[in-house]
Amino acid sequence: MEFDIVVLGAGITGAAMALALARKVDCTVALLDESDLEPSSASPAGQQGFDVHSFDVRVCALTAASRRLLEQLGVWHGLARQRVCAYSDMHVRDAEGTGQIHFSARELGVDNLGHIVENRLLRQALLGGLAQTPVHRLGGRSVQQIDTGSEQEITGSRYPVRLTLKDGSQIGTRLLIAADGVASRTRAQVGIVTREWDYLHQALIATVRMEQPHHQLACQIFRDTGPLAFLPLPETPDGHHCCSIVWSLLPDEARRIMALDDAAFRLELARCIEHRFGRILDSGQRVCRPLRQLHACRYHRNRVVVVGDAAHSIHPLAGQGANLSLLDVARLAEDIHRACQWGEDFSSPRVLDRYERARKGHNLAVAGLMESLQRLFHSDDLLVRWLRNSGLDLTNGLPALKRPMARWAMGLHWA
């Protein structure tokens, strides 16, 4: 089998990448993944009913820029009719002081600040969109080896990148787009070097049901052990209000929290969020994973290009990971489209350099900001604590500072 472009990895980034290419370029495109790539017709709640156990524990906080891309891909309208929750307010405060900042959609003159979407539903919407395109969906396929050769060796070959699958069959392509996640085997096989380090924290994620309504408020409190975020989910048919939590914890504290029974966990969580939503009435599965920052030193090599988590992974404290990945998708699809219009080889280093220049600086800037914030709020130094509290209060009282910050968080500068 041979294709102009192969996208390897069918998570949110890979599925969005394949769909964007189908909408923009007249090329043969294949999406390759070990999992089944048929869209599911099951209802969001599945067989478990509409409660904390039916929600996907993993969610995305999509910005306005990400929503626009999904609209362009033709999947947002159907997705919005499922379990999507717009949030209109965001409140951030320092648990060790009085500093706080509040963002409001009303103050900014917009309908909302973003949307909370379950990863599973977003991926299914993208796969559903792909089912209406000529993209070849090659599910249940595992790549054993990738052969590229040097730039000199592959010049002149029609399909220079060769993928050997586990069953022994081969796929040739002009361009391989690696969207196979933070532990990308593709990135390692083609020799793209990364810089990475451990945050020495773990992220605990879960879905909880609160006593009081969330009123479409996303809130984050910075504790001495790490930030705790509550992200609003859609109201259930019986009127219950649920949130997805992302709790950054030191390893020993993470082990302690994970070892608690459900009742003790809910009491601890309510205490740490300062009973903002009253009692925590129910909680679903808890998942804990280590936090690392990673960034690829180059975004392409020998007609293999990395996107999304395969290129960068950042601290989740501002929920920007999925949005950065979707911005990668939008830019790479546009660069390939322009190359086709101008009669260029879209897999050439010249074209892929444009994508790298456009995205690498922005991704590094966001990663650096997340690193700085993580260090700032983890510091016990009294002067640093005074400065961060004063800074939050100062920014909250100055619309000229707060408005650009909110527009940046919504991705409007990069739409």
Side-chain angles (χ1 to χ4, degrees), residues 98-281:
T98 60
Q100 58 185 330
I101 188 168
H102 186 91
F103 298 102
S104 167
R106 180 184 299 178
E107 291 178 359
L108 295 168
V110 295
D111 293 334
N112 55 70
L113 301 179
H115 292 81
I116 308 300
V117 184
E118 296 163 70
N119 284 21
R120 179 184 62 215
L121 297 185
L122 177 53
R123 181 175 183 266
Q124 284 299 321
L126 292 165
L127 291 179
L130 279 169
Q132 311 302 316
T133 72
V135 169
H136 298 262
R137 289 167 291 141
L138 306 178
R141 314 292 179 95
S142 177
V143 175
Q144 194 77 16
Q145 184 176 339
I146 300 170
D147 296 309
T148 61
S150 67
E151 180 61 34
Q152 291 74 23
E153 290 172 337
I154 62 179
T155 299
S157 174
R158 175 67 175 164
Y159 300 101
V161 182
R162 309 298 300 184
L163 285 71
T164 301
L165 305 186
K166 194 172 183 179
D167 62 7
S169 61
Q170 288 196 337
I171 295 176
T173 184
R174 296 172 62 188
L175 177 65
L176 176 61
I177 301 176
D180 51 346
V182 67
S184 171
R185 292 178 59 194
T186 307
R187 183 186 65 223
Q189 284 194 45
V190 301
I192 294 177
V193 178
T194 62
R195 292 193 180 97
E196 52 189 290
W197 59 91
D198 198 322
Y199 279 118
L200 302 177
H201 273 66
Q202 296 190 4
L204 188 157
I205 56 177
T207 304
V208 299
R209 178 166 64 88
M210 294 89 60
E211 180 181 27
Q212 298 174 4
H214 53 60
H215 298 301
Q216 297 184 315
L217 168 71
C219 65
Q220 188 165 50
I221 184 166
F222 284 89
R223 300 178 51 79
D224 56 357
T225 56
L228 168 61
F230 270 59
L231 307 174
L233 294 170
E235 182 180 349
T236 64
D238 53 1
H240 291 153
H241 286 256
C242 297
C243 278
S244 174
I245 68 158
V246 183
W247 197 353
S248 179
L249 295 162
L250 293 167
D252 287 345
E253 183 70 358
R255 283 189 288 270
R256 184 185 73 82
I257 298 294
M258 287 294 288
L260 296 175
D261 62 31
D262 288 345
F265 169 71
R266 293 194 286 266
L267 285 172
E268 181 81 0
L269 184 61
R271 181 185 67 81
C272 289
I273 198 65
E274 299 176 349
H275 304 282
R276 180 71 187 249
F277 303 105
R279 294 177 298 152
I280 306 297
L281 301 178

Side-chain angles (χ1 to χ4, degrees), residues 368-386:
L369 178 59
M370 295 304 101
E371 174 74 10
S372 299
L373 288 174
Q374 194 271 340
R375 290 176 182 270
L376 175 66
F377 282 94
H378 192 58
S379 175
D380 290 327
D381 185 275
L382 289 176
L383 177 59
V384 173
R385 287 168 57 180
W386 178 80

Side-chain angles (χ1 to χ4, degrees), residues 41-62:
S41 58
S43 67
Q47 303 299 316
Q48 297 173 303
F50 204 139
D51 59 17
V52 294
H53 304 285
S54 74
F55 286 99
D56 186 357
V57 71
R58 298 171 304 161
V59 303
C60 304
L62 297 179

